[in-house]
Amino acid sequence: MPKLTLIARVNDGLPLAASMEDEREQKEFDTYKNQAKRIFKQLTPTSLARCTIETGPFHFHYIIDGGVCYLTLCDKAYPRRLAYSYLEELAKEFKNLYETSIEGAMRPYAFIKFGSCTSATGPSRTN
């Protein structure tokens, strides 16, 4: 199950939205949030559209769609196909709500309200 989900613009790495499945684990995942931000800063328009990155006991999975990177942190045992399916569903929902506002976003986490959608979408992906 996704532990952490972040959404960022690819051209400048600006974080647009984020959520955690368990807010009590927030301190524990600060290191991984920082790693995710470094990943965002390294992305370019020519980066792989789908990628998995191993980090300790977890995997980062991301997809890039429409100049936006959708990234999630999952246990290594969590199936990749479910992680990518989750990210694709997330991308579809995010684009439906914010596609015309993404390029105009000026501040980090401009779409933080979307974080509640990522929490609602994630747990349904358990099998």
Side-chain angles (χ1 to χ4, degrees):
M1 176 153 84
K3 302 280 188 188
L4 169 70
T5 302
L6 294 117
I7 301 171
R9 252 187 339 224
V10 172
N11 65 351
D12 59 4
L14 181 73
L16 301 172
S19 79
M20 291 190 63
E21 290 309 314
D22 188 350
E23 296 295 330
R24 294 172 294 178
E25 296 177 343
Q26 186 168 356
K27 202 87 154 146
E28 178 185 341
F29 286 104
D30 282 347
T31 300
Y32 296 107
K33 280 197 269 187
N34 289 332
Q35 286 179 13
K37 289 175 186 176
R38 284 195 300 274
I39 292 168
F40 290 146
K41 291 291 184 190
Q42 294 174 0
L43 294 175
T44 68
T46 59
S47 295
L48 293 173
R50 288 172 82 128
C51 188
T52 297
I53 302 166
E54 187 174 329
T55 179
F58 302 105
H59 280 151
F60 279 116
H61 303 283
Y62 77 74
I63 64 169
I64 296 175
D65 184 8
V68 177
C69 180
Y70 304 87
L71 179 143
T72 192
L73 180 73
C74 302
D75 291 313
K76 282 185 178 179
Y78 192 72
R80 284 183 192 198
R81 68 177 176 76
L82 290 181
Y84 285 123
S85 178
Y86 163 68
L87 291 171
E88 289 164 359
E89 186 176 320
L90 196 68
K92 189 184 315 180
E93 291 176 30
F94 190 78
K95 285 192 313 186
N96 283 340
L97 292 171
Y98 303 113
E99 187 169 32
T100 59
S101 306
I102 293 169
E103 285 305 314
M106 302 298 281
R107 60 182 171 76
Y109 304 104
F111 309 110
I112 197 67
K113 289 180 182 180
F114 187 74
S116 61
C117 292
T118 63
S119 295
T121 305
S124 65
R125 298 283 182 189
T126 55
N127 55 354

PDB file of all heavy atoms in Angstrom, residues 86-121:
ATOM      1  N   TYR A  86      -2.370   2.686  -9.431  1.00  0.00           N
ATOM      2  CA  TYR A  86      -2.729   3.753  -8.487  1.00  0.00           C
ATOM      3  C   TYR A  86      -2.297   5.117  -9.027  1.00  0.00           C
ATOM      4  O   TYR A  86      -3.064   6.083  -9.034  1.00  0.00           O
ATOM      5  CB  TYR A  86      -2.085   3.462  -7.131  1.00  0.00           C
ATOM      6  CG  TYR A  86      -2.010   4.632  -6.192  1.00  0.00           C
ATOM      7  CD1 TYR A  86      -3.157   5.185  -5.628  1.00  0.00           C
ATOM      8  CD2 TYR A  86      -0.783   5.181  -5.832  1.00  0.00           C
ATOM      9  CE1 TYR A  86      -3.080   6.255  -4.748  1.00  0.00           C
ATOM     10  CE2 TYR A  86      -0.697   6.246  -4.958  1.00  0.00           C
ATOM     11  CZ  TYR A  86      -1.846   6.782  -4.419  1.00  0.00           C
ATOM     12  OH  TYR A  86      -1.769   7.835  -3.554  1.00  0.00           O
ATOM     13  N   LEU A  87      -1.047   5.200  -9.518  1.00  0.00           N
ATOM     14  CA  LEU A  87      -0.531   6.469 -10.029  1.00  0.00           C
ATOM     15  C   LEU A  87      -1.290   6.924 -11.277  1.00  0.00           C
ATOM     16  O   LEU A  87      -1.551   8.121 -11.449  1.00  0.00           O
ATOM     17  CB  LEU A  87       0.965   6.353 -10.316  1.00  0.00           C
ATOM     18  CG  LEU A  87       1.853   6.211  -9.081  1.00  0.00           C
ATOM     19  CD1 LEU A  87       3.286   5.877  -9.487  1.00  0.00           C
ATOM     20  CD2 LEU A  87       1.813   7.459  -8.213  1.00  0.00           C
ATOM     21  N   GLU A  88      -1.648   5.995 -12.144  1.00  0.00           N
ATOM     22  CA  GLU A  88      -2.407   6.351 -13.338  1.00  0.00           C
ATOM     23  C   GLU A  88      -3.793   6.886 -12.980  1.00  0.00           C
ATOM     24  O   GLU A  88      -4.261   7.871 -13.560  1.00  0.00           O
ATOM     25  CB  GLU A  88      -2.514   5.138 -14.270  1.00  0.00           C
ATOM     26  CG  GLU A  88      -1.190   4.801 -14.929  1.00  0.00           C
ATOM     27  CD  GLU A  88      -1.155   3.409 -15.546  1.00  0.00           C
ATOM     28  OE1 GLU A  88      -2.162   2.668 -15.454  1.00  0.00           O
ATOM     29  OE2 GLU A  88      -0.103   3.066 -16.108  1.00  0.00           O
ATOM     30  N   GLU A  89      -4.435   6.254 -12.020  1.00  0.00           N
ATOM     31  CA  GLU A  89      -5.741   6.719 -11.557  1.00  0.00           C
ATOM     32  C   GLU A  89      -5.619   8.108 -10.921  1.00  0.00           C
ATOM     33  O   GLU A  89      -6.436   8.998 -11.154  1.00  0.00           O
ATOM     34  CB  GLU A  89      -6.293   5.712 -10.541  1.00  0.00           C
ATOM     35  CG  GLU A  89      -7.694   5.992 -10.091  1.00  0.00           C
ATOM     36  CD  GLU A  89      -8.210   4.901  -9.162  1.00  0.00           C
ATOM     37  OE1 GLU A  89      -7.939   3.712  -9.402  1.00  0.00           O
ATOM     38  OE2 GLU A  89      -8.879   5.272  -8.177  1.00  0.00           O
ATOM     39  N   LEU A  90      -4.568   8.277 -10.137  1.00  0.00           N
ATOM     40  CA  LEU A  90      -4.305   9.552  -9.488  1.00  0.00           C
ATOM     41  C   LEU A  90      -4.092  10.659 -10.528  1.00  0.00           C
ATOM     42  O   LEU A  90      -4.641  11.755 -10.406  1.00  0.00           O
ATOM     43  CB  LEU A  90      -3.064   9.401  -8.607  1.00  0.00           C
ATOM     44  CG  LEU A  90      -2.800  10.440  -7.561  1.00  0.00           C
ATOM     45  CD1 LEU A  90      -3.859  10.365  -6.475  1.00  0.00           C
ATOM     46  CD2 LEU A  90      -1.424  10.197  -6.966  1.00  0.00           C
ATOM     47  N   ALA A  91      -3.284  10.356 -11.548  1.00  0.00           N
ATOM     48  CA  ALA A  91      -3.002  11.328 -12.600  1.00  0.00           C
ATOM     49  C   ALA A  91      -4.293  11.738 -13.313  1.00  0.00           C
ATOM     50  O   ALA A  91      -4.509  12.932 -13.581  1.00  0.00           O
ATOM     51  CB  ALA A  91      -2.007  10.743 -13.598  1.00  0.00           C
ATOM     52  N   LYS A  92      -5.139  10.785 -13.587  1.00  0.00           N
ATOM     53  CA  LYS A  92      -6.406  11.073 -14.258  1.00  0.00           C
ATOM     54  C   LYS A  92      -7.263  12.015 -13.400  1.00  0.00           C
ATOM     55  O   LYS A  92      -7.790  13.017 -13.890  1.00  0.00           O
ATOM     56  CB  LYS A  92      -7.159   9.767 -14.521  1.00  0.00           C
ATOM     57  CG  LYS A  92      -8.381   9.941 -15.399  1.00  0.00           C
ATOM     58  CD  LYS A  92      -9.179   8.660 -15.571  1.00  0.00           C
ATOM     59  CE  LYS A  92      -8.318   7.457 -15.855  1.00  0.00           C
ATOM     60  NZ  LYS A  92      -9.094   6.218 -16.017  1.00  0.00           N
ATOM     61  N   GLU A  93      -7.366  11.724 -12.111  1.00  0.00           N
ATOM     62  CA  GLU A  93      -8.160  12.559 -11.202  1.00  0.00           C
ATOM     63  C   GLU A  93      -7.568  13.958 -11.080  1.00  0.00           C
ATOM     64  O   GLU A  93      -8.291  14.957 -11.104  1.00  0.00           O
ATOM     65  CB  GLU A  93      -8.241  11.912  -9.817  1.00  0.00           C
ATOM     66  CG  GLU A  93      -9.071  10.652  -9.779  1.00  0.00           C
ATOM     67  CD  GLU A  93      -9.055   9.997  -8.410  1.00  0.00           C
ATOM     68  OE1 GLU A  93      -8.930  10.712  -7.395  1.00  0.00           O
ATOM     69  OE2 GLU A  93      -9.167   8.772  -8.358  1.00  0.00           O
ATOM     70  N   PHE A  94      -6.231  14.027 -10.931  1.00  0.00           N
ATOM     71  CA  PHE A  94      -5.560  15.315 -10.762  1.00  0.00           C
ATOM     72  C   PHE A  94      -5.744  16.177 -12.011  1.00  0.00           C
ATOM     73  O   PHE A  94      -6.061  17.367 -11.916  1.00  0.00           O
ATOM     74  CB  PHE A  94      -4.076  15.093 -10.457  1.00  0.00           C
ATOM     75  CG  PHE A  94      -3.358  16.342 -10.040  1.00  0.00           C
ATOM     76  CD1 PHE A  94      -3.491  16.829  -8.743  1.00  0.00           C
ATOM     77  CD2 PHE A  94      -2.536  17.025 -10.918  1.00  0.00           C
ATOM     78  CE1 PHE A  94      -2.826  17.981  -8.340  1.00  0.00           C
ATOM     79  CE2 PHE A  94      -1.873  18.176 -10.528  1.00  0.00           C
ATOM     80  CZ  PHE A  94      -2.019  18.657  -9.242  1.00  0.00           C
ATOM     81  N   LYS A  95      -5.561  15.580 -13.185  1.00  0.00           N
ATOM     82  CA  LYS A  95      -5.725  16.337 -14.428  1.00  0.00           C
ATOM     83  C   LYS A  95      -7.159  16.817 -14.594  1.00  0.00           C
ATOM     84  O   LYS A  95      -7.387  17.938 -15.053  1.00  0.00           O
ATOM     85  CB  LYS A  95      -5.296  15.502 -15.640  1.00  0.00           C
ATOM     86  CG  LYS A  95      -3.794  15.388 -15.756  1.00  0.00           C
ATOM     87  CD  LYS A  95      -3.314  14.841 -17.071  1.00  0.00           C
ATOM     88  CE  LYS A  95      -4.022  13.619 -17.534  1.00  0.00           C
ATOM     89  NZ  LYS A  95      -3.431  13.026 -18.749  1.00  0.00           N
ATOM     90  N   ASN A  96      -8.118  15.983 -14.255  1.00  0.00           N
ATOM     91  CA  ASN A  96      -9.525  16.388 -14.363  1.00  0.00           C
ATOM     92  C   ASN A  96      -9.817  17.632 -13.528  1.00  0.00           C
ATOM     93  O   ASN A  96     -10.581  18.495 -13.935  1.00  0.00           O
ATOM     94  CB  ASN A  96     -10.473  15.266 -13.938  1.00  0.00           C
ATOM     95  CG  ASN A  96     -10.612  14.200 -15.000  1.00  0.00           C
ATOM     96  OD1 ASN A  96     -10.333  14.420 -16.167  1.00  0.00           O
ATOM     97  ND2 ASN A  96     -11.040  13.028 -14.588  1.00  0.00           N
ATOM     98  N   LEU A  97      -9.200  17.719 -12.365  1.00  0.00           N
ATOM     99  CA  LEU A  97      -9.458  18.843 -11.465  1.00  0.00           C
ATOM    100  C   LEU A  97      -8.599  20.079 -11.744  1.00  0.00           C
ATOM    101  O   LEU A  97      -9.074  21.207 -11.609  1.00  0.00           O
ATOM    102  CB  LEU A  97      -9.235  18.407 -10.011  1.00  0.00           C
ATOM    103  CG  LEU A  97     -10.234  17.404  -9.446  1.00  0.00           C
ATOM    104  CD1 LEU A  97      -9.761  16.899  -8.089  1.00  0.00           C
ATOM    105  CD2 LEU A  97     -11.603  18.046  -9.325  1.00  0.00           C
ATOM    106  N   TYR A  98      -7.332  19.870 -12.108  1.00  0.00           N
ATOM    107  CA  TYR A  98      -6.384  20.988 -12.109  1.00  0.00           C
ATOM    108  C   TYR A  98      -5.604  21.228 -13.394  1.00  0.00           C
ATOM    109  O   TYR A  98      -4.744  22.104 -13.420  1.00  0.00           O
ATOM    110  CB  TYR A  98      -5.361  20.790 -10.979  1.00  0.00           C
ATOM    111  CG  TYR A  98      -5.980  20.663  -9.615  1.00  0.00           C
ATOM    112  CD1 TYR A  98      -5.919  19.470  -8.912  1.00  0.00           C
ATOM    113  CD2 TYR A  98      -6.639  21.740  -9.022  1.00  0.00           C
ATOM    114  CE1 TYR A  98      -6.487  19.358  -7.644  1.00  0.00           C
ATOM    115  CE2 TYR A  98      -7.215  21.630  -7.775  1.00  0.00           C
ATOM    116  CZ  TYR A  98      -7.127  20.435  -7.093  1.00  0.00           C
ATOM    117  OH  TYR A  98      -7.693  20.324  -5.843  1.00  0.00           O
ATOM    118  N   GLU A  99      -5.897  20.508 -14.451  1.00  0.00           N
ATOM    119  CA  GLU A  99      -5.067  20.594 -15.656  1.00  0.00           C
ATOM    120  C   GLU A  99      -4.831  22.030 -16.131  1.00  0.00           C
ATOM    121  O   GLU A  99      -3.718  22.390 -16.488  1.00  0.00           O
ATOM    122  CB  GLU A  99      -5.687  19.765 -16.781  1.00  0.00           C
ATOM    123  CG  GLU A  99      -4.804  19.665 -18.003  1.00  0.00           C
ATOM    124  CD  GLU A  99      -5.303  18.632 -18.985  1.00  0.00           C
ATOM    125  OE1 GLU A  99      -6.522  18.432 -19.093  1.00  0.00           O
ATOM    126  OE2 GLU A  99      -4.446  18.026 -19.642  1.00  0.00           O
ATOM    127  N   THR A 100      -5.836  22.866 -16.080  1.00  0.00           N
ATOM    128  CA  THR A 100      -5.681  24.237 -16.576  1.00  0.00           C
ATOM    129  C   THR A 100      -4.953  25.151 -15.577  1.00  0.00           C
ATOM    130  O   THR A 100      -4.561  26.256 -15.930  1.00  0.00           O
ATOM    131  CB  THR A 100      -7.051  24.861 -16.911  1.00  0.00           C
ATOM    132  OG1 THR A 100      -7.866  24.858 -15.735  1.00  0.00           O
ATOM    133  CG2 THR A 100      -7.744  24.081 -18.027  1.00  0.00           C
ATOM    134  N   SER A 101      -4.752  24.690 -14.346  1.00  0.00           N
ATOM    135  CA  SER A 101      -4.125  25.521 -13.313  1.00  0.00           C
ATOM    136  C   SER A 101      -2.681  25.130 -13.006  1.00  0.00           C
ATOM    137  O   SER A 101      -1.993  25.852 -12.285  1.00  0.00           O
ATOM    138  CB  SER A 101      -4.924  25.415 -12.014  1.00  0.00           C
ATOM    139  OG  SER A 101      -6.267  25.729 -12.235  1.00  0.00           O
ATOM    140  N   ILE A 102      -2.219  24.010 -13.525  1.00  0.00           N
ATOM    141  CA  ILE A 102      -0.902  23.477 -13.155  1.00  0.00           C
ATOM    142  C   ILE A 102       0.227  24.443 -13.498  1.00  0.00           C
ATOM    143  O   ILE A 102       1.068  24.752 -12.662  1.00  0.00           O
ATOM    144  CB  ILE A 102      -0.667  22.094 -13.796  1.00  0.00           C
ATOM    145  CG1 ILE A 102      -1.633  21.074 -13.189  1.00  0.00           C
ATOM    146  CG2 ILE A 102       0.782  21.649 -13.623  1.00  0.00           C
ATOM    147  CD1 ILE A 102      -1.692  19.748 -13.913  1.00  0.00           C
ATOM    148  N   GLU A 103       0.259  24.936 -14.733  1.00  0.00           N
ATOM    149  CA  GLU A 103       1.356  25.818 -15.145  1.00  0.00           C
ATOM    150  C   GLU A 103       1.343  27.142 -14.404  1.00  0.00           C
ATOM    151  O   GLU A 103       2.383  27.759 -14.200  1.00  0.00           O
ATOM    152  CB  GLU A 103       1.334  26.044 -16.658  1.00  0.00           C
ATOM    153  CG  GLU A 103       1.834  24.853 -17.453  1.00  0.00           C
ATOM    154  CD  GLU A 103       3.225  24.385 -17.035  1.00  0.00           C
ATOM    155  OE1 GLU A 103       4.141  25.221 -16.874  1.00  0.00           O
ATOM    156  OE2 GLU A 103       3.385  23.162 -16.859  1.00  0.00           O
ATOM    157  N   GLY A 104       0.182  27.589 -13.972  1.00  0.00           N
ATOM    158  CA  GLY A 104       0.067  28.866 -13.268  1.00  0.00           C
ATOM    159  C   GLY A 104       0.376  28.790 -11.783  1.00  0.00           C
ATOM    160  O   GLY A 104       0.483  29.827 -11.124  1.00  0.00           O
ATOM    161  N   ALA A 105       0.544  27.589 -11.242  1.00  0.00           N
ATOM    162  CA  ALA A 105       0.836  27.442  -9.809  1.00  0.00           C
ATOM    163  C   ALA A 105       2.171  28.109  -9.489  1.00  0.00           C
ATOM    164  O   ALA A 105       3.168  27.857 -10.158  1.00  0.00           O
ATOM    165  CB  ALA A 105       0.861  25.977  -9.421  1.00  0.00           C
ATOM    166  N   MET A 106       2.165  28.955  -8.462  1.00  0.00           N
ATOM    167  CA  MET A 106       3.372  29.711  -8.106  1.00  0.00           C
ATOM    168  C   MET A 106       3.979  29.273  -6.776  1.00  0.00           C
ATOM    169  O   MET A 106       5.146  29.500  -6.533  1.00  0.00           O
ATOM    170  CB  MET A 106       3.047  31.208  -8.034  1.00  0.00           C
ATOM    171  CG  MET A 106       2.483  31.775  -9.318  1.00  0.00           C
ATOM    172  SD  MET A 106       3.630  31.654 -10.679  1.00  0.00           S
ATOM    173  CE  MET A 106       4.678  33.029 -10.318  1.00  0.00           C
ATOM    174  N   ARG A 107       3.171  28.677  -5.920  1.00  0.00           N
ATOM    175  CA  ARG A 107       3.684  28.319  -4.597  1.00  0.00           C
ATOM    176  C   ARG A 107       3.652  26.805  -4.411  1.00  0.00           C
ATOM    177  O   ARG A 107       2.825  26.115  -5.001  1.00  0.00           O
ATOM    178  CB  ARG A 107       2.875  29.016  -3.506  1.00  0.00           C
ATOM    179  CG  ARG A 107       1.412  28.679  -3.499  1.00  0.00           C
ATOM    180  CD  ARG A 107       0.654  29.451  -2.418  1.00  0.00           C
ATOM    181  NE  ARG A 107      -0.772  29.273  -2.551  1.00  0.00           N
ATOM    182  CZ  ARG A 107      -1.443  28.185  -2.198  1.00  0.00           C
ATOM    183  NH1 ARG A 107      -0.810  27.174  -1.666  1.00  0.00           N
ATOM    184  NH2 ARG A 107      -2.744  28.111  -2.366  1.00  0.00           N
ATOM    185  N   PRO A 108       4.550  26.291  -3.571  1.00  0.00           N
ATOM    186  CA  PRO A 108       4.557  24.850  -3.301  1.00  0.00           C
ATOM    187  C   PRO A 108       3.229  24.395  -2.692  1.00  0.00           C
ATOM    188  O   PRO A 108       2.601  25.130  -1.929  1.00  0.00           O
ATOM    189  CB  PRO A 108       5.689  24.674  -2.293  1.00  0.00           C
ATOM    190  CG  PRO A 108       6.550  25.879  -2.450  1.00  0.00           C
ATOM    191  CD  PRO A 108       5.630  26.982  -2.877  1.00  0.00           C
ATOM    192  N   TYR A 109       2.828  23.207  -3.067  1.00  0.00           N
ATOM    193  CA  TYR A 109       1.617  22.563  -2.540  1.00  0.00           C
ATOM    194  C   TYR A 109       0.363  23.402  -2.799  1.00  0.00           C
ATOM    195  O   TYR A 109      -0.538  23.446  -1.982  1.00  0.00           O
ATOM    196  CB  TYR A 109       1.774  22.226  -1.048  1.00  0.00           C
ATOM    197  CG  TYR A 109       2.993  21.374  -0.811  1.00  0.00           C
ATOM    198  CD1 TYR A 109       4.152  21.921  -0.275  1.00  0.00           C
ATOM    199  CD2 TYR A 109       2.993  20.027  -1.163  1.00  0.00           C
ATOM    200  CE1 TYR A 109       5.287  21.135  -0.084  1.00  0.00           C
ATOM    201  CE2 TYR A 109       4.129  19.246  -0.981  1.00  0.00           C
ATOM    202  CZ  TYR A 109       5.272  19.807  -0.443  1.00  0.00           C
ATOM    203  OH  TYR A 109       6.392  19.036  -0.267  1.00  0.00           O
ATOM    204  N   ALA A 110       0.318  24.021  -3.965  1.00  0.00           N
ATOM    205  CA  ALA A 110      -0.832  24.850  -4.336  1.00  0.00           C
ATOM    206  C   ALA A 110      -2.133  24.044  -4.378  1.00  0.00           C
ATOM    207  O   ALA A 110      -3.210  24.600  -4.206  1.00  0.00           O
ATOM    208  CB  ALA A 110      -0.583  25.509  -5.690  1.00  0.00           C
ATOM    209  N   PHE A 111      -2.008  22.739  -4.577  1.00  0.00           N
ATOM    210  CA  PHE A 111      -3.191  21.886  -4.674  1.00  0.00           C
ATOM    211  C   PHE A 111      -3.228  20.881  -3.528  1.00  0.00           C
ATOM    212  O   PHE A 111      -3.609  19.728  -3.701  1.00  0.00           O
ATOM    213  CB  PHE A 111      -3.216  21.165  -6.025  1.00  0.00           C
ATOM    214  CG  PHE A 111      -3.034  22.110  -7.187  1.00  0.00           C
ATOM    215  CD1 PHE A 111      -1.868  22.096  -7.922  1.00  0.00           C
ATOM    216  CD2 PHE A 111      -4.018  23.030  -7.513  1.00  0.00           C
ATOM    217  CE1 PHE A 111      -1.684  22.967  -8.988  1.00  0.00           C
ATOM    218  CE2 PHE A 111      -3.848  23.901  -8.573  1.00  0.00           C
ATOM    219  CZ  PHE A 111      -2.677  23.880  -9.316  1.00  0.00           C
ATOM    220  N   ILE A 112      -2.853  21.326  -2.350  1.00  0.00           N
ATOM    221  CA  ILE A 112      -2.755  20.437  -1.184  1.00  0.00           C
ATOM    222  C   ILE A 112      -4.102  19.792  -0.846  1.00  0.00           C
ATOM    223  O   ILE A 112      -4.138  18.684  -0.311  1.00  0.00           O
ATOM    224  CB  ILE A 112      -2.151  21.172   0.032  1.00  0.00           C
ATOM    225  CG1 ILE A 112      -1.662  20.177   1.077  1.00  0.00           C
ATOM    226  CG2 ILE A 112      -3.130  22.158   0.625  1.00  0.00           C
ATOM    227  CD1 ILE A 112      -0.496  19.340   0.651  1.00  0.00           C
ATOM    228  N   LYS A 113      -5.192  20.437  -1.189  1.00  0.00           N
ATOM    229  CA  LYS A 113      -6.513  19.837  -0.936  1.00  0.00           C
ATOM    230  C   LYS A 113      -6.661  18.510  -1.656  1.00  0.00           C
ATOM    231  O   LYS A 113      -7.428  17.659  -1.226  1.00  0.00           O
ATOM    232  CB  LYS A 113      -7.630  20.782  -1.373  1.00  0.00           C
ATOM    233  CG  LYS A 113      -7.776  21.985  -0.497  1.00  0.00           C
ATOM    234  CD  LYS A 113      -8.903  22.866  -0.981  1.00  0.00           C
ATOM    235  CE  LYS A 113      -9.002  24.106  -0.120  1.00  0.00           C
ATOM    236  NZ  LYS A 113     -10.075  24.993  -0.546  1.00  0.00           N
ATOM    237  N   PHE A 114      -5.924  18.340  -2.743  1.00  0.00           N
ATOM    238  CA  PHE A 114      -5.991  17.085  -3.482  1.00  0.00           C
ATOM    239  C   PHE A 114      -5.413  15.931  -2.658  1.00  0.00           C
ATOM    240  O   PHE A 114      -5.720  14.778  -2.912  1.00  0.00           O
ATOM    241  CB  PHE A 114      -5.236  17.199  -4.813  1.00  0.00           C
ATOM    242  CG  PHE A 114      -5.407  16.002  -5.701  1.00  0.00           C
ATOM    243  CD1 PHE A 114      -6.599  15.795  -6.373  1.00  0.00           C
ATOM    244  CD2 PHE A 114      -4.390  15.082  -5.860  1.00  0.00           C
ATOM    245  CE1 PHE A 114      -6.774  14.692  -7.197  1.00  0.00           C
ATOM    246  CE2 PHE A 114      -4.559  13.976  -6.672  1.00  0.00           C
ATOM    247  CZ  PHE A 114      -5.750  13.777  -7.339  1.00  0.00           C
ATOM    248  N   GLY A 115      -4.628  16.216  -1.642  1.00  0.00           N
ATOM    249  CA  GLY A 115      -4.038  15.180  -0.784  1.00  0.00           C
ATOM    250  C   GLY A 115      -5.064  14.242  -0.195  1.00  0.00           C
ATOM    251  O   GLY A 115      -4.813  13.054  -0.021  1.00  0.00           O
ATOM    252  N   SER A 116      -6.252  14.753   0.092  1.00  0.00           N
ATOM    253  CA  SER A 116      -7.297  13.879   0.632  1.00  0.00           C
ATOM    254  C   SER A 116      -7.754  12.872  -0.417  1.00  0.00           C
ATOM    255  O   SER A 116      -8.144  11.759  -0.089  1.00  0.00           O
ATOM    256  CB  SER A 116      -8.473  14.699   1.149  1.00  0.00           C
ATOM    257  OG  SER A 116      -9.048  15.445   0.102  1.00  0.00           O
ATOM    258  N   CYS A 117      -7.673  13.236  -1.698  1.00  0.00           N
ATOM    259  CA  CYS A 117      -8.021  12.293  -2.769  1.00  0.00           C
ATOM    260  C   CYS A 117      -6.986  11.186  -2.861  1.00  0.00           C
ATOM    261  O   CYS A 117      -7.319  10.037  -3.106  1.00  0.00           O
ATOM    262  CB  CYS A 117      -8.099  13.008  -4.115  1.00  0.00           C
ATOM    263  SG  CYS A 117      -9.473  14.144  -4.249  1.00  0.00           S
ATOM    264  N   THR A 118      -5.709  11.523  -2.646  1.00  0.00           N
ATOM    265  CA  THR A 118      -4.683  10.486  -2.732  1.00  0.00           C
ATOM    266  C   THR A 118      -4.853   9.491  -1.611  1.00  0.00           C
ATOM    267  O   THR A 118      -4.661   8.304  -1.795  1.00  0.00           O
ATOM    268  CB  THR A 118      -3.256  11.082  -2.709  1.00  0.00           C
ATOM    269  OG1 THR A 118      -3.055  11.737  -1.464  1.00  0.00           O
ATOM    270  CG2 THR A 118      -3.027  12.026  -3.858  1.00  0.00           C
ATOM    271  N   SER A 119      -5.251   9.939  -0.453  1.00  0.00           N
ATOM    272  CA  SER A 119      -5.501   9.025   0.667  1.00  0.00           C
ATOM    273  C   SER A 119      -6.697   8.139   0.374  1.00  0.00           C
ATOM    274  O   SER A 119      -6.708   6.967   0.701  1.00  0.00           O
ATOM    275  CB  SER A 119      -5.742   9.801   1.951  1.00  0.00           C
ATOM    276  OG  SER A 119      -4.583  10.488   2.323  1.00  0.00           O
ATOM    277  N   ALA A 120      -7.702   8.699  -0.244  1.00  0.00           N
ATOM    278  CA  ALA A 120      -8.911   7.928  -0.545  1.00  0.00           C
ATOM    279  C   ALA A 120      -8.677   6.924  -1.655  1.00  0.00           C
ATOM    280  O   ALA A 120      -9.246   5.852  -1.669  1.00  0.00           O
ATOM    281  CB  ALA A 120     -10.037   8.886  -0.947  1.00  0.00           C
ATOM    282  N   THR A 121      -7.803   7.248  -2.605  1.00  0.00           N
ATOM    283  CA  THR A 121      -7.549   6.374  -3.733  1.00  0.00           C
ATOM    284  C   THR A 121      -6.648   5.215  -3.354  1.00  0.00           C
ATOM    285  O   THR A 121      -6.857   4.087  -3.773  1.00  0.00           O
ATOM    286  CB  THR A 121      -6.878   7.171  -4.878  1.00  0.00           C
ATOM    287  OG1 THR A 121      -7.705   8.280  -5.183  1.00  0.00           O
ATOM    288  CG2 THR A 121      -6.696   6.320  -6.115  1.00  0.00           C
TER     289      THR A 121
END
